[in-house]
Amino acid sequence: MKTPEAPPLAPDCLPSDQAPAPARLSHQASPMDKNTDPELMPPPRDGDDLPQVSSDPMAGLAQSQELEEGVPASLSTPLETGFGLPSELSSRVEEKELSENVSLPAEETNRPELGPGEDVEGVSEELSPEDEGYTIWNYNFSQVPRFLSGSWSEFITQPENFLKGCKWAPDGSCILTNSADNILRIYNLPPELYNEGEQLEYAEMAPVLRMVEGDTIYDYCWYSLMSSAQPDTSYVASSSRENPIHIWDAFTGELRASFRSYNHLDELTAAHSLCFSPDGSQLFCGFNRTVRVFSTSRPGRDCEVRTTFAKRQGQSGIISCIAFSPTQPLYACGSYGRSLGLYTWEDGSPLALLGGHQGGITHLCFHPDGNRFFSGARKDAELLCWDLRQLGHPLWSLSREVTTNQRIYFDLDPTGQFLVSGNTNGAVSVWDTSGVGLESKLEPVLSFQPQKDCTNGVSLHPSLPLLATASGQRVFPEPTESEDEGEEEVDLPLLSMRHVHLECQLQLWWCGGGPDTSISDAHQEEMGQGGTEGGGGEFT
């Protein structure tokens, strides 16, 4: 599968003449653009024979490797059997195959320099951002982030339709959400970000795709090599109760493939956690005392079974979360049995078994350096940092409020400097991990209140200073007070939800700094959002 021509501008580089206003960004292709046909990528421009130079060094390297080897640099057509692109897109791609599959002669590819008139087709030049006049955005949490936009009307059509986290796509083109109505939604970046003129008012975001699962969704994740410029890599995986693992097309929302797991009674069992390997060739799924590994190129029931607990030894409980080290061939597993396990990627051999949490592990995240990783648990007020070079005890801990069994996400920025976490009380806490010394407790550098309801999901954009938060939680009726004034003669139920306030919404925050990060009171009331003090409509 070849990539469409005219790849989008790398999202981590923005023109300097458009800085620093967050509303001035270059348009980037996304799996579902509301201004284009949702099933087709933009057609190639006439007369554009030369591949465009990417400002992303990794993208340039991948393009050069593709031209030299004659095959795509990414995973070779994962889930290809039975799942093709629309015929029109396929024909456009075929027209470009001749120019993309040309292998350059050794004497040309090894030339140290090219003269002014010696342009070689397919040679990608890695230009520094300074040479191109681009500005690389960095996260700045020295002040409260500025609210940009969000989505709330989508989640009020059903009672208690709270969100269950949000996750940016690996290429940053869109964001994926999960909610209590068992629907996965994909949102594009707000169109106001692409306008040259700075916008003071952002319209409410609307999903461009909805993927409906049959029952409670246990886990969901993006394909690790997802790129909107390569449709064959744009998909998400989800697991729900009493259902197979589903692979959804992020362009059309259609089901592309299924992975099925069966127990010793040949009954279908659902995975409680999902994670693609860094190279995209395997899908790791967590079950009770077991990790099953599927090949992404072969959907079905064939898988490798890796037992985590045998002969009363090992990691017991349901494997609730999985994370891969970005630099070493190993992965970590968290269990509802309050334990952490480290295993080799190749064959799943156990390396270490760790403990220290008061509740079941709900989320894991590796630091970009690959030497440290973070773990969080339910009904546990601490985030623990572990060092692979010294696993005897946690390196240090971070305090947050988690008083329920809900999965409360946390995330690291691409540099690994800032760690952001939600809280049951609705606050978002930010820690600077770069200046950690010998102290065992690290205090947050910033804490703000997006809303009064629980903030269960946080996700940091891979290239822009955008923070996404998801809120809401399951609520229960409260006992009524029979002595309320004016209600003595009214028959009230013993349990009522009239004092319960639900704020189920997705919100985007700009964390790149600026002259003014405050939100006007009138805008807060109109949008039903809370700035630093919180707010929102009441549930009646």
Side-chain angles (χ1 to χ4, degrees), residues 399-401 419-423 427-431 444-448:
S399 296
R400 63 172 184 171
E401 181 178 330
L419 186 145
V420 183
S421 174
N423 292 267
V428 173
S429 302
V430 183
W431 293 270
V445 297
L446 175 67
S447 182
F448 69 100

Side-chain angles (χ1 to χ4, degrees), residues 400-402 408-410 420-424 426-429 455-458:
R400 63 172 184 171
E401 181 178 330
V402 180
I408 306 296
Y409 286 92
F410 57 90
V420 183
S421 174
N423 292 267
T424 304
V428 173
S429 302
T455 301
N456 56 68
V458 295

Side-chain angles (χ1 to χ4, degrees), residues 78 95 125 128 132 136 178 214 216 317 332 384 408 418 447 451 521:
E95 294 174 2
E125 304 172 4
S128 64
E132 287 293 325
I136 298 178
N178 176 27
T216 302
L384 299 182
I408 306 296
F418 295 107
S447 182
Q451 70 284 316
D521 295 338

Side-chain angles (χ1 to χ4, degrees), residues 475-478 496-502 538-540:
V475 295
F476 301 94
E478 299 177 350
S496 173
M497 296 183 63
R498 59 194 180 120
H499 296 300
V500 175
H501 304 284
L502 291 179
E538 295 185 355
F539 181 83
T540 56

